[in-house]
DNA sequence: AAAAAAC
């Protein structure tokens, strides 16, 4: 399974190029080629210039792994993942799931329950790294909707010893909704394995139980949010001595200064104290330089997979901008252009910047007689669950959301994302923002990318409309375009323009 | 109040 061609000259400290490619390559650390008939075999992609110690690799074409019944997916997007490994363990790319030495129960889950046929690109590269001793840490970046969840869920399931009735795999997620979504995937994929799991998130009213009354967790996999996991751990209801794999989903946010850094570090240290050796997996579509530098200090000796930011915007999701003279116009655009076409479209998520504007927009649309639901943090867990369920069941077509759903939310019917407000960077240095308002804020590139990634899951068609009001928003949009080098097409507020845009995005 | 989690 491993490639013996790796040269012995490789020292532990040197970065080696783990090239996963369809074409013959002379990289020292070649992982075996993907199958001959992968997408993009016809084209030859240029080798990208080296950047520092990261050797670049020839482009490969990402595969859409998830093929549902009769659905045919369009040509998948190009992806260019750079793999960097340390040490002398050679890794073979997995062209089939059989290559991974998975249990037959797990394979059955992949094929029968998940209906997967073969690994996507990120899975082909990352799974051998996750599953091969000495189980090195991994920092993995991959496009939105490319199958990251499968990577770490499969990693957790295959590393758990089903005969050991104790928690062995943890996954920490930034929101309750994401944790619940991930555990659903785990349950489905692991259906035949007998592996037990539990979701550690704040309970809804029906399931509330004070920590002190809770029996110690025996589930082998625990997926949850940082606060609840920590709470269970400090209440001695969640043992960590058998933990051998710790996953951070949306890892840049979980370890970012602006995110859950403190929680994540404390959880990691607690596990470190009683579990001698465990593997840390960090997955996200985005890792800005700050976070990258930070994680390289906390996690030692790791393998890594990265994508250049210019290649992160999904080509299957077309981006548009619409300049609105005032805020009222934004609401009218949504009313006239979106709801009037809603029957022809799939589902839509409208992102707003604050809880308050979520409420304002919700009220405005409901007052106009439109059927819309809203999700935000300031809601009871019961209501949040209900709103999500209705949306996932397709009962509601348009959902207003704060950045609560910006990351990870996977609903394949969503093909339209509306940025009612552009996401902004929070600048803690300027406390006296009151008078300056937020007009000087920079756009938050990472959140922008995560938001638009809610459309175009697994290579499906999608569109994003950015509603811009005023010079500041126009300027921010320009910065976003520059940052990703992506094209954002301006459309006017006319039936013809909007329809042409949706048509060119393949939505109608 | 930026949002999120959750103290």
């Amino acid at each position: 399974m491993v490639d013996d061609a790796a040269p012995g000259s490789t020292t532990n400290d040197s970065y080696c190029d783990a090239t996963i490619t369809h074409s013959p390559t002379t990289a020292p650390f070649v992982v075996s080629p993907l199958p001959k008939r992968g997408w993009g075999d016809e084209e030859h992609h240029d080798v990208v210039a080296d950047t520092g110690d990261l050797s670049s690799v020839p482009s490969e074409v990402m595969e859409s792994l998830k093929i549902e019944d009769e659905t045919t997916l369009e040509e998948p997007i190009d992806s260019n993942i750079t793999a960097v490994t340390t040490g002398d363990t050679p890794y073979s790319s997995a062209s089939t799931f059989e290559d991974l030495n998975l249990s037959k129960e797990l394979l059955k889950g992949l094929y029968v329950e998940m209906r997967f046929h073969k690994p996507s690109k990120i899975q082909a590269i990352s799974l051998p790294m996750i599953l091969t001793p000495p189980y090195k840490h991994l920092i993995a970046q991959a496009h939105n909707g490319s199958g990251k969840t499968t990577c770490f869920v499969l990693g957790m399931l295959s590393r758990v010893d089903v005969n050991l009735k104790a928690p062995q795999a943890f996954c920490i997620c930034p929101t309750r909704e994401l944790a619940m979504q991930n555990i659903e995937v785990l349950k489905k994929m692991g259906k035949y394995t007998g592996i037990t799991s539990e979701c550690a998130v704040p309970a809804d009213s029906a399931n509330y139980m004070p920590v002190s009354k809770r029996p110690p967790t025996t589930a082998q996999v625990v997926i949850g949010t940082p606060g609840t996991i920590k709470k269970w751990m400090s209440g001695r209801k969640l043992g960590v001595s058998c933990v051998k794999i710790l996953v951070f989903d949306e890892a840049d946010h979980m370890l970012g200064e602006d995110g859950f850094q403190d929680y994540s570090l404390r959880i990691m240290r607690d596990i470190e104290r009683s579990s001698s050796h465990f593997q840390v997996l960090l997955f996200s579509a985005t890792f800005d330089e700050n976070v990258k530098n930070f994680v390289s200090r906390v996690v030692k000796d790791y393998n890594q997979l990265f994508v250049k930011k210019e290649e992160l915007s999904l080509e299957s999701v077309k981006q548009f901008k619409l300049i609105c003279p005032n805020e009222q116009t934004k609401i009218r655009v949504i009313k006239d252009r979106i709801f009037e076409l809603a029957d022809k479209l799939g589902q839509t998520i409208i992102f707003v910047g604050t809880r308050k504007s979520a409420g304002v927009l919700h009220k405005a649309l409901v007052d106009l007689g439109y059927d819309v639901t809203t999700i935000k943090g300031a809601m009871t867990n019961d209501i949040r669950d209900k709103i999500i369920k209705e949306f996932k069941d397709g009962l509601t077509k348009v959902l207003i959301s704060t950045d609560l759903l910006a990351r990870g939310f996977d609903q394949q019917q969503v093909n339209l994302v509306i940025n009612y407000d552009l996401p902004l960077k929070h600048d803690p240095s300027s406390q006296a923002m009151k008078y300056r308002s937020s007009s000087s804020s920079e756009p938050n590139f990472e959140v922008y990318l995560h938001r638009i990634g809610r459309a175009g899951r697994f290579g499906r068609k999608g569109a994003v409309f950015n509603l811009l009001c005023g010079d500041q928003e126009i300027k921010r949009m320009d910065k976003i375009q520059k940052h990703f080098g992506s094209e954002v097409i301006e459309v006017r507020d006319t039936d013809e323009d909007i329809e042409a845009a949706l048509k060119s995005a393949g939505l109608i």
Side-chain angles (χ1 to χ4, degrees):
Chain A
M1 142 157 174
V2 289
D3 188 342
D4 287 327
S9 60
T10 312
T11 65
N12 276 358
D13 289 326
S14 72
Y15 280 114
C16 298
D17 197 7
T19 320
I20 314 289
T21 172
H22 58 286
S23 56
T25 167
T26 53
F29 232 114
V30 179
V31 206
S32 61
L34 283 172
K36 286 276 186 291
R37 264 164 300 159
W39 271 307
D41 272 347
E42 309 77 7
E43 304 171 44
H44 175 73
H45 297 277
D46 291 334
V47 176
V48 183
D50 281 4
T51 51
D53 51 6
L54 300 181
S55 306
S56 300
V57 300
S59 304
E60 234 297 315
V61 174
M62 190 190 84
E63 288 178 84
S64 281
L65 57 159
K66 201 166 184 178
I67 298 168
E68 293 196 322
D69 304 46
E70 299 303 312
T71 318
T72 36
L73 296 170
E74 295 297 318
E75 183 87 349
I77 27 161
D78 252 14
S79 84
N80 188 347
I81 300 176
T82 304
V84 181
T85 61
T86 62
D88 48 14
T89 310
Y91 298 99
S92 283
S93 158
S95 51
T96 69
F97 288 116
E98 274 81 2
D99 293 348
L100 295 165
N101 288 326
L102 305 173
S103 70
K104 62 178 190 307
E105 292 79 12
L106 193 43
L107 277 177
K108 188 176 173 190
L110 284 168
Y111 293 134
V112 177
E113 296 298 314
M114 307 299 291
R115 294 165 182 263
F116 289 165
H117 295 205
K118 49 189 281 209
S120 70
K121 171 153 191 197
I122 179 70
Q123 291 158 9
I125 310 172
S126 72
L127 286 169
M129 293 184 175
I130 296 170
L131 300 174
T132 308
Y135 308 118
K136 286 205 174 180
H137 305 317
L138 175 68
I139 303 177
Q141 180 186 32
H143 300 79
N144 280 311
S146 66
K148 289 188 289 289
T149 307
T150 296
C151 296
F152 62 76
V153 165
L154 190 51
M156 292 194 287
L157 284 172
S158 60
R159 296 222 38 222
V160 163
D161 174 2
V162 70
N163 298 311
L164 174 60
K165 305 294 179 200
Q168 298 165 57
F170 286 6
C171 171
I172 328 267
C173 315
T175 63
R176 203 172 160 271
E177 283 68 23
L178 195 48
M180 298 194 313
Q181 179 179 286
N182 286 341
I183 205 139
E184 284 311 311
V185 174
L186 183 113
K187 287 203 158 105
K188 206 168 165 187
M189 197 186 295
K191 184 171 171 188
Y192 306 103
T193 61
I195 290 169
T196 55
S197 60
E198 188 162 1
C199 194
V201 296
D204 58 17
S205 56
N207 295 301
Y208 178 76
M209 188 192 291
V211 192
S212 55
K213 298 223 170 113
R214 169 172 285 283
T217 303
T218 55
Q220 292 159 322
V221 181
V222 175
I223 301 182
T225 46
T228 304
I229 298 236
K230 188 74 188 73
K231 210 159 88 180
W232 290 11
M233 279 167 57
S234 5
R236 303 192 163 277
K237 305 297 181 181
L238 186 56
V240 299
S241 60
C242 297
V243 171
K244 47 182 158 185
I245 179 163
L246 170 64
V247 180
F248 287 100
D249 192 8
E250 306 298 341
D252 60 325
H253 190 234
M254 299 310 294
L255 287 161
E257 270 190 58
D258 202 25
F260 296 105
Q261 191 175 86
D262 293 351
Y263 270 113
S264 300
L265 290 179
R266 262 187 283 159
I267 290 170
M268 229 187 294
R269 303 252 154 81
D270 282 0
I271 299 175
E272 244 161 27
R273 228 177 287 137
S274 55
S275 178
S276 53
H277 185 67
F278 64 99
Q279 179 184 31
V280 178
L281 306 182
L282 304 175
F283 275 88
S284 182
T286 52
F287 285 96
D288 71 25
E289 288 306 315
N290 289 336
V291 182
K292 237 191 254 188
N293 290 334
F294 178 75
V295 297
S296 67
R297 291 205 308 274
V298 283
V299 184
K300 295 288 176 212
D301 193 23
Y302 51 89
N303 293 323
Q304 49 181 313
L305 302 172
F306 281 110
V307 181
K308 286 193 296 183
K309 66 176 191 292
E310 289 80 7
E311 311 215 353
L312 271 175
S313 302
L314 301 177
E315 287 187 15
S316 60
V317 178
K318 286 260 187 318
Q319 304 178 56
F320 302 100
K321 58 185 171 188
L322 207 156
I323 293 167
C324 304
N326 53 52
E327 293 290 319
Q328 274 307 315
T329 313
K330 289 187 177 180
I331 293 175
R332 200 185 47 67
V333 167
I334 289 171
K335 167 172 103 68
D336 291 349
R337 311 293 172 209
I338 306 309
F339 281 101
E340 294 309 312
L341 289 163
D343 291 341
K344 299 187 196 164
L345 298 169
Q347 288 176 294
T348 299
I349 299 179
I350 304 174
F351 282 107
V352 293
T354 64
R355 294 172 173 186
K356 192 177 162 198
S357 57
V360 171
L361 180 60
H362 181 95
K363 186 172 186 310
L365 292 172
V366 168
D367 285 351
L368 287 166
Y370 290 100
D371 201 11
V372 61
T373 54
T374 298
I375 187 163
K376 56 188 178 190
M379 283 176 160
T380 66
N381 293 327
D382 292 13
I383 294 178
R384 281 165 67 155
D385 292 349
K386 178 168 163 274
I387 302 286
I388 291 293
K389 185 172 190 313
E390 285 174 354
F391 194 67
K392 287 218 169 185
D393 288 346
L395 297 176
T396 44
K397 293 209 88 172
V398 180
L399 177 60
I400 299 170
S401 176
T402 58
D403 284 324
L404 173 73
L405 289 190
R407 286 169 175 267
F409 183 71
D410 184 30
Q411 167 73 350
Q412 302 188 354
Q413 283 72 18
V414 173
N415 56 9
L416 181 59
V417 164
I418 301 194
N419 280 326
Y420 188 82
D421 308 309
L422 289 177
L424 300 178
K425 247 175 210 151
H426 182 230
D427 183 6
S429 62
S430 49
Q431 289 292 57
M433 287 278 270
K434 272 184 196 163
Y435 299 101
R436 284 202 279 155
S437 78
S438 58
S439 62
S440 60
S441 298
E442 288 288 300
N444 189 321
F445 304 115
E446 286 71 34
V447 173
Y448 179 82
L449 195 82
H450 284 281
R451 281 184 179 186
I452 71 175
R454 295 319 99 212
R457 308 301 290 166
F458 290 99
R460 286 178 175 73
K461 299 275 186 196
V464 52
F465 278 88
N466 294 289
L467 307 184
L468 310 176
C469 176
D471 291 347
Q472 289 297 338
E473 287 201 305
I474 292 168
K475 225 179 264 172
R476 284 177 196 138
M477 188 77 246
D478 287 342
K479 285 182 181 167
I480 290 170
Q481 277 175 254
K482 275 212 191 76
H483 182 83
F484 292 112
S486 60
E487 190 187 13
V488 180
I489 301 155
E490 180 170 349
V491 292
R492 288 166 306 157
D493 178 22
T494 63
D495 279 338
E496 304 78 64
D497 263 32
I498 305 273
E499 276 192 37
L502 292 171
K503 227 169 245 167
S504 79
L507 264 52
I508 53 173

